[in-house]
């Protein structure tokens, strides 16, 4: 048996147990999950806590969660004027809510406030992973209550760029006035699909919108699209069509579970807290100073602060480069074996736990 087949069998055996051993599964997944069958999406659902360790509970969990997600779409993805006729005051027959209302409880006021973060989501998902065509392609399983709604539930139409019209007027003496109409519209990176279809980026847009609606204290922050993108791609690429059909709902709950672990990094008011991003970068800077003083001093002399290199670093090239070259280097992912990076990170983590400086 080849090494690859043996590794696949290890995953299959681990996932076939009635009670999944998460510690063992994490060890298997650390060096990568074979991209065969449904191993990767299933492992992600388990490691993110979407599925429990008891296999017998999976069907019940999936059925409940997917039904709940559909309810979210039905209730939250529809302009207030279309949900049902405005409620009339029984006494005077007047509308108790209208598009100009500024009341905190006004459905219309909430709708326009939602459009502010929806506009940013729309911009971000349209340029998601431009190096691959996946997100521009139509999904096999469009959401029926959205694509057959005559556009009423399509989120991108709420923030679609306006069409600007201008005219050049030419007139010579007492002759005929000539008017040339000019129509300009901002170019769309990803085109929306026709009625009955939707692109993958539209699905991701809906996931992020619902997450922001259900988490008003956090809402949407740029960068979330880069987190949800890979999760959705894995779920939507599941070889099993039964799972692929529900990729949107499964992705939503996996993304929500992951955000629960890293949400502090996306809340600006917590940036300076102990678990905030600024404190994390400060700890990284201190570790770099302890582990590699030469690199630390070199970056400090060029005023390259931790936010430039918090996520990626290449030592030898940094020492040879000037400021401009180092900025460019630190803002691009290095070409290296990610397993080497992860193994070194685990080694440093153990050293810090058992031999703190």
């Amino acid at each position: 048996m080849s090494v690859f087949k043996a590794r696949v069998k290890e995953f299959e055996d681990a996932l076939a147990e009635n009670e999944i051993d998460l510690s063992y599964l994490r060890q298997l997944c650390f060096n990568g999950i074979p991209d065969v069958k449904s191993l990767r999406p299933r492992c992600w659902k388990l490691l993110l806590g979407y599925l429990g360790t008891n296999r017998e509970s999976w069907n019940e969990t999936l059925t409940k969660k997917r039904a709940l997600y559909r309810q979210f779409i039905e209730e939250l993805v529809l302009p207030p004027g279309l949900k049902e006729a405005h409620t009339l005051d029984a006494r005077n027959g007047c509308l108790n809510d209208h598009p100009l209302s500024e009341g905190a409880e006004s459905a219309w006021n909430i709708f326009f406030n939602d459009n502010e973060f929806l506009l940013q989501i729309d911009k971000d998902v349209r340029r998601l992973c431009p190096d691959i065509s996946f997100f521009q392609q139509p999904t096999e399983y469009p959401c029926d209550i959205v694509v057959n709604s005559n556009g009423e539930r399509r989120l991108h139409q709420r923030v679609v760029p306006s069409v600007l019209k201008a005219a050049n007027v030419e007139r010579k003496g007492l002759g005929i006035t000539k008017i040339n109409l000019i129509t300009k519209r901002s170019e769309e990176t990803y085109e929306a699909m026709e009625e009955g279809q939707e692109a993958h980026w539209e699905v991701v847009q809906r996931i992020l919108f619902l997450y922001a609606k259900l988490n008003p204290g956090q809402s949407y922050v740029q960068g979330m699209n880069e987190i949800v993108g890979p999760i959705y791609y894995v779920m939507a690429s599941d070889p099993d069509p039964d799972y692929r059909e529900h990729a949107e709902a499964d992705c939503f709950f996996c993304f929500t579970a992951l955000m629960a672990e890293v949400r502090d990094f996306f809340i600006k008011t917590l940036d300076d807290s102990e678990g905030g991003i600024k404190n994390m970068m400060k700890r990284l800077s201190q570790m770099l100073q302890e582990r590699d003083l030469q690199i630390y001093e070199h970056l400090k002399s060029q005023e390259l602060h931790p936010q430039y290199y918090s996520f990626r670093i290449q030592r030898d090239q940094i020492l040879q480069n000037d400021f401009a070259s180092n900025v460019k280097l630190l803002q691009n992912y290095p070409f290296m074996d990610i397993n080497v990076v992860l193994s070194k990170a685990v080694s440093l983590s153990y050293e810090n736990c058992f031999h703190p400086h």
Side-chain angles (χ1 to χ4, degrees):
M1 183 181 295
S2 67
V3 175
F4 178 76
K5 289 183 178 180
R7 182 159 176 74
V8 170
K9 189 175 187 306
E10 286 181 319
F11 276 91
E12 291 177 336
D13 292 344
L15 295 173
E17 298 289 337
N18 289 330
E19 191 70 28
I20 308 298
D21 185 343
L22 278 184
S23 297
Y24 176 62
L25 184 62
R26 286 194 186 95
Q27 292 177 5
L28 285 178
C29 295
F30 182 80
N31 292 314
I33 306 170
D35 191 14
V36 295
K37 302 181 180 179
S38 297
L39 295 181
R40 183 169 295 167
R42 192 161 300 173
C43 286
W44 283 25
K45 290 170 186 173
L46 283 162
L47 296 179
L48 289 171
Y50 177 42
L51 293 179
T53 55
N54 190 321
R55 282 178 57 89
E56 295 181 357
S57 68
W58 289 2
N59 287 336
E60 181 181 0
T61 297
L62 292 172
T63 300
K64 286 183 177 180
K65 293 290 189 180
R66 290 165 178 173
L68 177 61
Y69 185 77
R70 186 176 179 87
Q71 184 180 346
F72 289 158
I73 296 176
E74 292 174 345
E75 296 179 0
L76 301 177
V77 186
L78 192 64
L82 298 172
K83 288 181 179 178
E84 49 184 320
H86 286 301
T87 304
L88 294 175
D89 189 289
R91 291 170 296 180
N92 54 28
C94 296
L95 294 175
N96 60 12
D97 194 9
H98 55 83
L100 298 180
S101 174
E102 295 183 355
E105 300 298 323
S106 167
W108 280 103
N109 187 37
I110 294 173
F111 170 76
F112 290 120
N113 288 335
D114 290 347
N115 283 353
E116 293 182 12
F117 65 76
L118 177 58
L119 178 60
Q120 186 60 59
I121 292 175
D122 188 73
K123 290 178 181 178
D124 291 345
V125 296
R126 286 176 185 269
R127 56 191 179 212
L128 181 61
C129 301
D131 51 329
I132 60 175
S133 63
F134 172 80
F135 290 97
Q136 303 174 52
Q137 297 173 1
T139 173
E140 292 178 85
Y141 304 99
C143 181
D144 60 305
I145 58 177
V146 172
V147 298
N148 298 317
S149 65
N150 293 321
E152 294 174 352
R153 292 180 185 269
R154 286 188 180 267
L155 291 172
H156 66 85
Q157 291 194 2
R158 287 167 53 169
V159 290
V160 67
S162 300
V163 175
L164 303 178
K165 293 184 178 180
N168 290 335
V169 180
E170 298 180 8
R171 185 174 183 179
K172 296 182 179 179
L174 299 176
I176 300 175
T177 300
K178 182 179 180 183
I179 300 177
N180 295 322
L181 290 176
I182 302 172
T183 300
K184 292 185 178 181
R185 182 174 177 174
S186 58
E187 296 182 1
E188 294 185 350
T189 307
Y190 287 7
E191 294 290 343
M193 296 288 168
E194 298 178 355
E195 188 73 7
Q197 291 185 313
E198 63 179 344
H200 288 294
W201 67 262
E202 294 181 74
V203 180
V204 175
Q205 181 183 52
R206 190 160 54 245
I207 292 172
L208 291 171
F209 175 78
L210 289 173
Y211 178 82
K213 285 282 290 180
L214 295 168
N215 295 271
Q218 183 182 25
S219 191
Y220 173 76
V221 180
Q222 280 187 285
M224 289 182 180
N225 59 312
E226 301 291 348
I227 294 177
V228 74
I231 299 176
Y232 176 74
Y233 176 82
V234 168
M235 301 301 163
S237 302
D238 194 318
D240 188 334
D242 292 333
Y243 280 95
R244 197 164 64 243
E245 182 178 359
H246 300 283
E248 180 178 352
D250 294 347
C251 173
F252 173 81
F253 288 106
C254 285
F255 173 68
T256 300
L258 180 57
M259 287 305 300
E261 298 293 327
V262 300
R263 69 190 307 273
D264 288 0
F265 296 154
F266 291 88
I267 301 178
K268 191 173 182 61
T269 55
L270 296 178
D271 283 354
D272 295 312
S273 66
E274 184 177 353
I277 190 66
K278 289 184 180 179
N279 189 57
M280 295 286 285
M281 288 192 291
K282 181 180 178 181
R283 288 166 53 192
L284 175 64
S285 180
Q286 291 172 344
M287 183 184 294
L288 179 62
Q289 184 179 14
E290 295 166 356
R291 302 285 178 175
D292 199 326
L293 184 60
Q294 186 181 9
I295 277 286
Y296 174 83
E297 294 293 348
H298 188 68
L299 291 174
K300 184 179 179 181
S301 67
Q302 293 185 348
E303 297 186 359
L304 283 169
H305 305 294
Q307 53 264 40
Y308 287 101
Y309 59 82
S310 294
F311 304 102
R312 51 198 81 117
I313 190 167
Q314 284 182 302
R315 185 181 192 280
D316 294 338
Q317 287 179 263
I318 286 175
L319 289 175
Q320 297 172 6
N321 288 343
D322 58 12
F323 173 83
S325 299
N326 276 338
V327 170
K328 184 177 180 180
L329 173 67
L330 294 169
Q331 292 300 306
N332 291 279
Y333 286 108
F335 296 99
M336 62 175 65
D337 186 350
I338 191 60
N339 286 319
V340 175
V341 179
L342 292 175
S343 297
K344 184 62 177 177
V346 171
S347 176
L348 289 174
S349 178
Y350 281 134
E351 288 182 25
N352 287 337
C353 289
F354 297 107
H355 303 287
H357 289 266

